[in-house]
Amino acid sequence: MTATDILLPGSAADGGRRVDVDLLVVGAGPAGLYAAYYAGFRGLRTAIVDSLPEPGGQVTALYPEKMVYDVAGFPGIKGRDLVAGLVEQAARFDPVYVLGERAEHLTNEAGHRPRAGERLVVTTDKGTRISTGTVVITGGIGTFTPRPLPGGAEWEGRGLTYVVKELAAHAGQDVVIVGGGDSAVDWALALDGLAASVTLVHRRKHFRAHAASVADLEKGSTVLVTDAQVSHLEGDERLHTVHVKHKDGDVTPYKAQSVIAALGFTADIGPLETWGIEIMDRKIMVDTAMRTSVPGVYSAGDITEYPGKVRLIAVGFGEAATAVNNAATYLDPDQPLFPGHSSDDPAGIGAAAAH
């Protein structure tokens, strides 16, 4: 799905678009897409808003070709394929996608701070007004920006990238990857054998990536350069050399037509901090029902925090289901918290009929 697939019904007198739903999901990453599916299963009219132009959140924006190994039932699945499956799963219930727009303000219908039992209104930076009974925030880590490679700005688009959108784009190239975390190691593993050569440069001796991945890396043909960092990049119209400075001060040139800077990213949860929600260290505090401190607002996925929290996509799926089920009872206390398994109703409409 792309931004052209956005469906926004109606139009406000002031030119802003209007959406009216039972439940709004803020964030179209894996947890948000699963929340949209589950809300549909509960018979709730649902919308999803995300500042990115297509679903998938961080997975689509940063790791579409990365293999994901910790989702139950999949020995390994590419990020883009996982997102495609989640979009297809949610499509059964026809959620409204509001993509390329950031959720800015949370009020009641009168434009004031909402109270328990009132309908909520979320307004986006493009003026779209979404009226909803409940909100489930699945914003991942918020708005994320890759950490830049020092001195690399002039080489962006000329050999330097921060995201691997297509592995094939690096086929046959000499590739230098900079970083020591999971992303850097995963890209090195994925490109080993596809690229002409892969060199991984890390400023420390030891990698921060998962130990099993590092063990696989050490078995491959990737050249590992540790206790070193990129000094500068060289080229003409395109990059052709990466100069790496070692701990002892020596500088070694490495042939490279491509540099992948996997240095992590900075995160900003932005306008959510003005919603009156209890937030600590850019994380939303929730209880065991995934309730936030604002009535009618729930949260799930990496953006949440509670004692014992584990940040995995698989955990986010469970939290999304918990949030949606509790949101359903908030909307209608006569509804059961747990409606039964989806396999109990092959048509998937039992909950909708009861709503």
Side-chain angles (χ1 to χ4, degrees):
M1 175 172 297
T2 66
T4 59
D5 296 345
I6 300 172
L7 173 64
L8 289 170
S11 178
D14 60 1
R17 295 169 291 186
R18 293 182 183 272
V19 178
D20 195 322
V21 292
D22 300 311
L23 185 145
L24 171 66
V25 179
V26 178
L33 292 170
Y34 188 71
Y37 156 74
Y38 207 92
F41 172 68
R42 288 301 313 247
L44 304 176
R45 293 169 298 145
T46 306
I48 311 172
V49 61
D50 197 293
S51 60
L52 296 174
E54 56 186 319
Q58 182 181 334
V59 173
T60 295
L62 299 179
Y63 314 122
E65 290 281 355
K66 183 177 178 180
M67 293 298 294
V68 181
Y69 297 104
D70 51 16
V71 175
F74 293 98
I77 183 171
K78 280 187 178 181
R80 68 167 74 251
D81 295 334
L82 176 63
V83 169
L86 287 163
V87 169
E88 181 180 358
Q89 184 181 33
R92 181 180 188 181
F93 301 107
D94 198 24
V96 175
Y97 285 89
V98 184
L99 300 177
E101 301 191 30
R102 184 175 66 179
E104 289 273 339
H105 306 292
L106 174 70
T107 65
N108 61 13
E109 294 280 2
H112 304 301
R113 185 175 294 276
R115 294 177 293 185
E118 295 182 326
R119 281 189 66 78
L120 306 170
V121 174
V122 171
T123 308
T124 75
D125 61 336
K126 302 291 179 60
T128 299
R129 186 177 184 273
I130 307 168
S131 176
T132 181
T134 56
V135 173
V136 176
I137 301 170
T138 59
I141 59 170
T143 302
F144 45 89
T145 304
R147 289 193 175 95
L149 179 69
E154 66 176 293
W155 296 101
E156 291 181 31
R158 299 165 59 203
L160 171 64
T161 184
Y162 293 94
V163 179
V164 178
K165 287 285 189 180
E166 297 283 349
L167 288 173
H170 301 280
Q173 294 186 337
D174 298 294
V175 180
V176 172
I177 300 172
V178 186
D182 286 313
S183 294
V185 171
D186 287 345
W187 294 137
L189 289 170
L191 290 169
D192 190 1
L194 179 65
S197 69
V198 179
T199 302
L200 181 56
V201 179
H202 183 36
R203 62 193 177 94
R204 295 190 175 93
K205 183 177 181 179
H206 301 289
F207 293 94
R208 304 186 311 277
H210 193 280
S213 298
V214 175
D216 289 341
L217 182 70
E218 291 172 342
K219 297 173 187 175
S221 62
T222 297
V223 176
L224 304 181
V225 183
T226 57
D227 279 335
Q229 52 191 323
V230 172
S231 168
H232 63 282
L233 308 181
E234 182 184 353
D236 34 54
E237 291 185 4
R238 293 280 302 181
L239 174 73
H240 60 60
T241 306
V242 175
H243 297 270
V244 176
K245 185 176 182 179
H246 302 273
K247 196 172 184 180
D248 61 8
D250 288 346
V251 177
T252 303
Y254 290 88
K255 184 169 66 170
Q257 298 83 51
S258 176
V259 172
I260 302 168
L263 302 173
F265 40 82
T266 57
D268 179 12
I269 63 173
L272 293 179
E273 293 190 291
T274 68
W275 286 19
I277 300 167
E278 182 183 359
I279 294 173
M280 292 183 61
D281 296 327
R282 299 192 301 277
K283 299 292 188 295
I284 296 174
M285 306 303 297
V286 296
D287 62 15
T288 56
M290 298 294 117
R291 285 183 291 247
T292 73
S293 56
V294 174
V297 179
Y298 299 76
S299 188
D302 285 354
I303 201 169
T304 62
E305 185 61 85
Y306 52 81
K309 168 75 178 186
V310 176
R311 287 181 171 79
L312 292 172
I313 290 175
V315 172
F317 291 155
E319 293 171 349
T322 298
V324 169
N325 279 320
N326 282 278
T329 62
Y330 176 85
L331 289 170
D332 184 355
D334 292 333
Q335 288 291 308
L337 175 62
F338 178 56
H341 301 97
S342 59
S343 56
D344 295 338
D345 179 7
I349 58 173
H355 178 65

